[in-house]
Amino acid sequence: MSNFTLLIVDWYRLNKRNLPWRSESNPYFIWLSEIILQQTRVDQGMAYYLTFTKNYPTVLDLANAKEQDVLNDWQGLGYYSRARNLHFSAKYIQNELNGVFPTTYTEILKLKGVGKYTAAAISSFAFNEKRAVVDGNVYRFLSRVFDLDTPIDSSAGIKEFQKLADTLIPEINPGEHNQAMMEMGASVCTPKNPKCNACPVNEKCLSLAKNTINNRPVKKGKTKTTDRYFHFLIFKSEENTIIEQRIGKGIWQNMFQFPLIETLNINDKPDLTSFKNKTFESTPIKHILSHQRIYATFHHFDSLPDQAAQKRLTIKQSDIQEYPLPRIIDRYLEEQDVF
Ligand code: SF4
């Protein structure tokens, strides 16, 4: 084991956060935790991890669940394709792999929604396969320790960092080494104000020596974000309202929403002339997704439209939580006490 691994693993054993998936060797639970924690803070992801392991204690329970229930349990986490992929892969394991979770990196990589990073994490944590994990935390940590300025979002950078991580990972306990690398990035070598004084490799850190910490890691360019302008129509009769299911690809696939009119510009007004008894219009509410900024305006009506459009459902207002809703709608209902 190299000196580098010894330093970070010793530190990890003393300082690791006590997280429920840390002591897991069940690959199914590790898979759940990794998918839930993608793009999600640990404190936010924890409740979802506990819900999923309780509601679907085995991969077969997840395979046999209704997609709507899975999406409901996922509600609030965003990136709903991740939940759909989990469900799809659970069914694949049930039908194609006799219900047995795959045990090697190569087989795990075949699961839908599992990339190299996740396959390396599951195979090394659950099966101690020597596969180096490179996630955002590891990119940052390595770019600083070795003062690397190759952009981490370039193909050259992805190769270079993976190669370096592959040379650092030991034969013995590669899973623990991976966990230590990730934890270093998450807890010590943080994006802002890294805790260099408490860092076990500060004497080796080239960025610290060269004062380049704030310029590491280097990124080529940010993904373009588009603005979208949504107008949701909340129709209310005595106890009913109307919702519709989103179909096709894109955000919030298969989820439910109030009837939607989208406009191209912030100042465009939707054509609402065919709807009666408008009572209220909210100010636009901003909601940020990975590559989109949504500006949503909610228009309230005290009646249902004369003719229900196809694919719209008339439901009881009190039943709305039975349907998976995008976070922005769920929050608006709660904050405005709409029903
Ligand atoms: S010394 Fe500071 S910058 Fe270098 S690896 Fe440690 S925490 Fe990160």
Side-chain angles (χ1 to χ4, degrees), residues 250-312:
I251 57 169
W252 305 330
Q253 195 188 340
N254 294 348
M255 301 191 74
F256 289 81
Q257 63 187 12
F258 294 112
L260 169 69
I261 299 175
E262 183 169 358
T263 58
L264 284 178
N265 296 297
I266 193 156
N267 292 323
D268 291 352
K269 296 280 176 214
D271 180 7
L272 303 176
T273 45
S274 55
F275 307 119
K276 295 185 208 130
N277 301 329
K278 183 164 174 182
T279 54
F280 177 70
E281 176 177 327
S282 75
T283 50
I285 296 167
K286 191 162 139 187
H287 185 67
I288 296 180
L289 301 169
S290 55
H291 303 134
Q292 302 190 16
R293 267 184 303 260
I294 308 287
Y295 294 86
T297 306
F298 291 83
H299 303 262
H300 294 223
F301 299 86
D302 249 358
S303 60
L304 302 188
D306 288 340
Q307 255 191 329
Q310 271 189 337
K311 300 204 182 77
R312 287 185 181 167

Side-chain angles (χ1 to χ4, degrees), residues 141 144-145 184 188-189 194-196 199 201-202 205 207-208 213:
F141 179 47
R144 287 174 174 166
V145 178
M184 279 300 304
V188 179
C189 197
K195 303 175 186 71
C196 301
C199 176
V201 291
N202 53 14
C205 180
S207 281
L208 181 63
I213 292 172

Side-chain angles (χ1 to χ4, degrees), residues 315-334:
I315 61 161
K316 286 215 167 91
Q317 293 165 15
S318 54
D319 286 345
I320 192 146
Q321 292 300 341
E322 305 286 313
Y323 297 85
L325 305 169
R327 180 93 184 104
I328 186 169
I329 293 183
D330 192 40
R331 206 161 48 203
Y332 183 77
L333 289 175
E334 194 184 312

Side-chain angles (χ1 to χ4, degrees), residues 208-225:
L208 181 63
K210 294 185 190 171
N211 200 15
T212 56
I213 292 172
N214 290 336
N215 303 324
R216 301 286 175 268
V218 172
K219 280 194 188 168
K220 213 168 49 168
K222 292 201 170 131
T223 322
K224 196 172 167 296
T225 303

